[in-house]
Every structure is written in C-alpha cells, then in structure tokens.
C-alpha cells in the first residue's frame, strides 16, 4: 500500500494547496530578476528554448523523485532518508543527504532574508515616490546608501525573518497553506498588471521577439550549461523543501501530475517576469544583461521616468517580496519539522529557534555589503561581496548540485522499482520507463556536468 505512514505535522487540504505551496517554494527572487538577466546575457530566445528543455528532462524528473520520497517517508528529510534507506535494506548513512539539503536551505535562508529585506525596503521607497524622475547617478547613490548602512539592512532583514517565522509557526494549514493561498494568486495578479503596463509603456514586441525568436548563433556551450543549472535551481530542488512539502501530500494525489503542474507554473512566472521587464528595459535603452543592478539600479530609473511609475514600481518590488516570502517559508520548514519530530518542540518555539539562528547568520551577509566586503576570484569571475558570495557559492554551486545528484541516485538506484512505482501509482509502462531512464541516467549526468562547470573543472 502506498504511503502507509502519516505526517504528525498535518496534510494539505487539497491538491491545489500543494501546487500553490510547491510553486511558492520554487518561485523566488531568481525567477523575477535572475532569469531575465541571464536570458539577456546569453542571447534571448535560444537560451529560453534550452532552458525549457532542461526543465523537462532534468528538473521535472528530479522533482518527482524528491516528492515521492517525501510522501513515502512522511517526515523531515533527515528522518525520511533514514527510514527509506532501511526500507530498501541500505545503510542509514543516506540520512546525511537529508541533513545536507536542510543545511543548504538554512544557509540560503540566512542570506536570502537579507536580499529580501532590500526588496522590502525598496517597496516602501517606491511607494513614497523616491524613484520619481531619479537619474542614473541618483539611483546608484540610493542603492549605495541603502546597502552601505548595516543598521538599515539589519532592520529590514529582521522584519522579513519575523514575517517568515510567524507563518511557519502556525502550522501546515493555518500557516503555510493560508500564506501561499494569498501570496501566489497575488504574485500572478501583480505580474499580469506589470505585463499590461509593459505593453502600454514599453517596447513589448521587441521584448517578445528577444525572448521567443531564437538566434542559435548566440548559443554557446556556456549558455547551455547556465540554462541547465538554472532549470535545476529554480525548482527549489536539493534543499529539503520540496521533499518536506511532499510529505504533506495526500496519498490519492498523482505526484507526476502535480510536479508537472508546479514546474509549468514556475516556468510561466519566469517567462512572465521577462515579458514584464524586457519591454521596459528596451524602451529605456538599458542593458538586458545588467544582473543584480537590473532590479535595484536600472528599473527604478525606468519607472521614475514613466507615467504611473510610482504605482508600478511599488507593485514590482512588492512582487519581489511575495516571491521571496513564499520561498523563505519553505526553506525554514524542514528544520522546524525535524525539531518537532526529534525534540518534541512546539512549532512556535522551533520556528523562533531556527529563524533566530538563520537571522544571526544573516548578520554576516549584512556586513558583507559594507564593512566586511572583500574581493576574491571563483571560476574565473571576480566576487566583490565577501562572505555573501562564499555562502552563495557553497550552497548554489556545491551543496544543491550534490543534493540533486544524490536524489536522483537514491530514487533511481537505491529504492526498489516496486516501491517507486507504488508511490507514483504508475504501471511499468512507457511513461514510467521514460521517467526511470531520465532519473537514473540523464538527470545525474546533466547535474554532474553543471556541477563540474560551476566549480570550474570543465
């Protein structure tokens, strides 16, 4: 019988609740600012096409593998990996994969909260009209002043972390489910409004051609590897969050169907973000590959020069906050669940403990933007913000790829074929065989290539 265990934390009330929660975990700052700028950097439409292919052959199979393990184990990632290893007759050392994923998510949360705090602060600034008719020099001065003030960064970081802890402390249905039921529809509504604004005030057709008219002459091997890496990371895989959310999923729900839906919605958000941003970028003769500065430096200038710019700048940064908030609650949840399971803590106390430690570690990132900033070189690139970059590289370039690789190996080679089919509720037909080949061979090889590339070995 599939999923004989029951989660002590509760269960999603519906398939839709899981889809919204998992989409909220996957949709983050990367979808709103990173996807547009790497699309700009690597040539537009051809990059988007490769990205979509990588989502299909790597992202979705790994997500299915992670959700099926979560639902079968019905516990925190550490305890789930321990029990499933025993079920398969293997050594409990596999539980350390769960620990690595949760640790990666925890480290990401520590600096993610600081960046989300910047977005929160910019939402207030936009609403107060700080970007009206702002010049390039003025936008740079505002940004430099903001990140150069550790007290201000700390205040916004603290507020965002408190927002995250409050949601998680309320449990699965009253906290996580209720939050994403509000946040995800709100995020889509804001994106639609921003796309409408871009159609009216920007070069919409130019943005559309840039994203969907592939020019394969601009597609390099590096671009293919970046697309593969982003396809993996954007789905929030390898950090325990999706596995944890899978543990709250009803045994009657099709894992394959909901994972395809979540991946589709996550990709849709990334594409919508591009359609909202690129027309405005082109209308203001800006560089579409401007990176971090595209959001916090270039777009404030653009909104400051456009009709109703204050309103839509506020909506844009509110969109960033929504995306970050929905991701942050998924990052903290696995560690909270482990404390509840293994130490009998209430969710409120566990949330404060985990959130408090992540908040304290976030002080390193706060100071990385000012007093503790230093430069170093990684994989041929100069990094300028010290420990913030160290944490980002450690998690995104090392821990998450390794976590994803082990997820694929465990589902494809350690769990029995019978238990996997039982959890997926699939017969041993063409659909299952295709997924099995992807998760056993294609995805691990793809992830290994991305990992070696990111650490500069290929």
């Amino acid at each position: 019988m599939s999923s004989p265990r029951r989660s002590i934390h509760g269960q999603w009330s519906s398939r839709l609740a899981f889809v919204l929660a998992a989409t909220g975990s996957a949709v983050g700052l990367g979808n709103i600012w990173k996807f547009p700028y790497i699309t700009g950097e690597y040539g537009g439409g051809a990059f988007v096409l490769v990205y979509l292919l990588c989502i299909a052959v790597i992202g979705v199979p790994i997500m299915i593998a992670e959700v099926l393990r979560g639902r079968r184990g019905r516990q925190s990632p550490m305890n789930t990996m321990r029990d499933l290893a025993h079920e398969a007759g293997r050594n409990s050392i596999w539980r350390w994969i769960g620990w690595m994923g949760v640790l990666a998510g925890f480290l990401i949360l520590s600096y993610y909260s600081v960046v989300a705090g910047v977005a929160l602060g910019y939402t207030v600034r936009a609403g107060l009209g700080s970007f009206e008719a702002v010049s390039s020099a003025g936008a740079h001065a505002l940004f430099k002043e903001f990140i150069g003030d550790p007290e201000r960064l700390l205040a916004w970081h603290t507020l965002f972390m408190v927002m995250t802890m409050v949601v998680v402390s309320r449990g699965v249905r009253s906290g996580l489910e209720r939050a994403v039921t509000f946040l995800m529809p709100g995020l889509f509504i804001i994106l639609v409004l921003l796309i409408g604004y871009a159609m009216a005030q920007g070069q919409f057709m130019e943005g559309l051609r840039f994203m969907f008219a592939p020019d394969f002459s601009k597609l390099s091997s590096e671009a293919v590897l970046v697309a593969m890496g982003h396809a993996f990371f954007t789905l929030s895989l390898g950090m325990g969050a999706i596995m944890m959310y899978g543990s709250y999923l009803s045994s009657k729900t099709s894992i394959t169907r909901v994972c395809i839906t979540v991946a589709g919605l996550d990709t849709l958000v990334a594409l919508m973000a591009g359609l909202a941003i690129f027309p405005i970028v082109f209308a203001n003769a800006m560089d579409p590959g401007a990176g971090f500065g595209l959001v916090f430096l270039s777009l404030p200038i653009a909104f400051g020069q456009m009709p109703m710019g204050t309103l839509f700048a506020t909506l844009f940064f509110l969109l960033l906050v929504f995306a970050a908030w929905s991701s942050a609650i998924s990052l903290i949840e696995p560690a909270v669940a482990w404390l509840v399971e293994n130490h009998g803590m209430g969710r409120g106390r566990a949330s404060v403990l985990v959130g408090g430690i992540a908040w304290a570690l976030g002080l390193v990132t706060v100071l990385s933007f000012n007093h503790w900033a230093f430069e170093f070189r990684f994989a041929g690139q100069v990094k300028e913000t010290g420990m913030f970059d160290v944490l980002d590289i450690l998690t995104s370039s090392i821990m998450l790829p390794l976590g994803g690789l082990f997820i694929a190996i465990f589902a494809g080679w350690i769990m029995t074929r019978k238990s996997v089919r039982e959890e997926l509720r699939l017969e041993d037909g063409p659909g299952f065989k295709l997924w099995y080949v992807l998760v056993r061979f294609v995805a691990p090889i793809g992830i290994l290539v991305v990992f070696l590339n990111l650490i500069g070995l290929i």
Side-chain angles (χ1 to χ4, degrees):
M1 180 179 177
S2 178
S3 298
R5 304 177 180 92
R6 294 181 62 85
S7 172
I8 66 171
H9 308 287
Q11 185 172 293
W12 305 115
S13 64
S14 64
R15 173 180 175 272
L16 176 62
F18 170 80
V19 168
L20 290 175
T23 303
S25 176
V27 171
L29 294 175
N31 295 71
I32 311 300
W33 70 269
K34 187 175 182 180
F35 176 75
Y37 92 70
I38 59 176
T39 299
E41 186 175 352
Y42 292 103
F47 177 85
V48 172
L49 195 61
V50 174
Y51 167 74
L52 295 176
L53 180 63
C54 292
I55 284 283
V57 301
I58 294 179
V60 172
I62 295 295
M63 176 173 275
I64 290 172
E66 190 156 356
V67 172
L68 81 85
R69 291 192 313 174
R71 189 168 73 176
R72 193 161 189 89
R74 298 288 188 189
Q75 300 172 86
S76 63
M78 300 79 100
N79 292 338
T80 283
M81 291 304 302
R82 178 200 63 204
D83 288 359
L84 293 187
H86 289 164
E87 181 180 271
R90 300 303 179 102
N91 195 292
S92 61
I93 195 173
W94 283 96
R95 74 183 186 277
W96 290 106
I97 298 174
W99 276 107
M100 183 174 69
V102 172
L103 178 60
F106 177 81
L107 294 175
I108 291 170
L109 176 64
S110 73
Y111 65 79
Y112 201 84
S113 176
V114 178
V115 178
V118 176
L120 194 58
Y122 263 58
T123 304
V124 175
R125 281 191 165 195
L128 294 175
S130 298
F131 304 138
E132 288 184 8
V134 69
S135 65
S136 176
H140 279 76
L142 284 172
F143 183 66
K144 187 175 180 180
E145 177 193 4
F146 194 102
I147 67 170
D149 184 349
E151 289 81 10
R152 183 178 300 175
L153 276 179
L154 178 60
W156 289 113
H157 164 51
T158 302
L159 177 58
F160 183 82
M161 189 64 77
V162 169
M163 290 164 52
T164 302
M165 289 188 293
V166 167
V167 170
V168 175
S169 68
R170 295 177 62 85
V172 175
R173 292 199 180 183
S174 298
L176 307 181
E177 185 172 321
R178 185 171 295 177
V180 296
T181 301
F182 162 73
L183 290 174
M184 295 316 297
L187 185 148
F188 276 99
I189 290 170
I190 293 173
L191 268 175
V192 170
L193 290 173
L194 287 170
I195 290 173
Y197 183 68
M199 293 176 69
Q201 303 294 336
Q203 298 290 332
F204 190 75
M205 292 308 298
E206 186 177 352
L208 201 64
R209 283 193 297 270
F210 180 77
M211 287 190 65
F212 298 111
D215 180 358
F216 290 101
S217 66
K218 297 180 179 179
L219 191 65
S220 63
S221 58
E222 181 185 357
V224 173
L225 291 170
V226 170
M228 192 185 302
H230 191 66
F232 176 70
F233 298 128
T234 190
L235 292 177
S236 202
L237 304 176
M239 58 185 72
I242 294 298
M243 193 191 308
M244 196 70 244
Y245 279 6
S247 73
Y248 305 147
L249 185 63
S250 167
S251 59
K252 298 179 181 179
T253 301
S254 167
I255 291 176
T256 304
R257 191 173 301 167
V258 294
C259 287
I260 291 173
T261 301
V262 170
L265 289 173
D266 176 72
T267 305
L268 178 62
V269 169
L271 296 177
M272 290 174 71
L275 291 176
I277 291 172
F278 285 130
I280 295 174
V281 168
F282 291 130
N284 291 271
M286 294 176 177
D287 178 12
F292 190 86
L294 186 65
V295 168
F296 294 109
L297 294 174
S298 300
L299 287 180
I301 301 170
F303 285 122
Q305 310 300 323
M306 302 172 80
M308 300 180 67
T310 294
L311 171 61
F312 284 94
T314 305
L315 286 175
F316 177 78
F317 286 108
L318 185 63
L319 170 70
L320 284 181
V321 173
F322 277 19
W325 198 6
S326 61
S327 293
I329 61 179
S330 72
L331 292 172
I332 196 175
E333 175 65 15
V336 169
W338 182 81
L339 287 174
V340 172
E341 292 168 4
N342 290 68
H343 295 279
M345 287 190 184
R347 286 190 66 90
R349 183 182 171 196
S351 299
V352 170
L353 178 59
V354 176
I357 297 173
W359 173 87
L361 184 58
L363 299 179
V364 173
T365 297
V366 167
L367 294 172
S368 293
F369 288 115
N370 37 76
H371 298 317
W372 290 359
F374 61 86
E375 291 187 358
F376 68 98
R377 184 174 293 274
F378 176 79
Q381 296 182 346
V382 176
K383 304 294 182 178
E384 299 179 347
T385 51
M387 288 305 299
F388 168 71
D389 285 315
V390 170
L391 288 171
D392 185 36
I393 291 167
L394 175 63
T395 54
S396 298
S397 300
I398 299 175
M399 298 177 76
L400 294 189
L402 287 178
L405 179 63
F406 289 132
I407 288 169
I409 291 173
F410 192 87
W413 297 94
I414 302 300
M415 294 181 70
T416 65
R417 191 183 184 105
K418 178 183 177 182
S419 64
V420 169
R421 283 197 301 107
E422 182 179 77
E423 201 59 52
L424 292 179
R425 296 178 173 271
L426 292 175
E427 298 297 326
D428 203 350
F432 175 77
K433 289 177 179 177
L434 173 62
W435 173 79
Y436 213 47
V437 169
L438 291 175
V439 82
R440 297 186 94 197
F441 302 105
V442 178
I445 292 172
I447 293 168
L448 190 60
V449 169
V450 171
F451 174 67
L452 294 177
N453 174 72
L454 287 171
I455 63 176
L457 294 182
I458 61 172

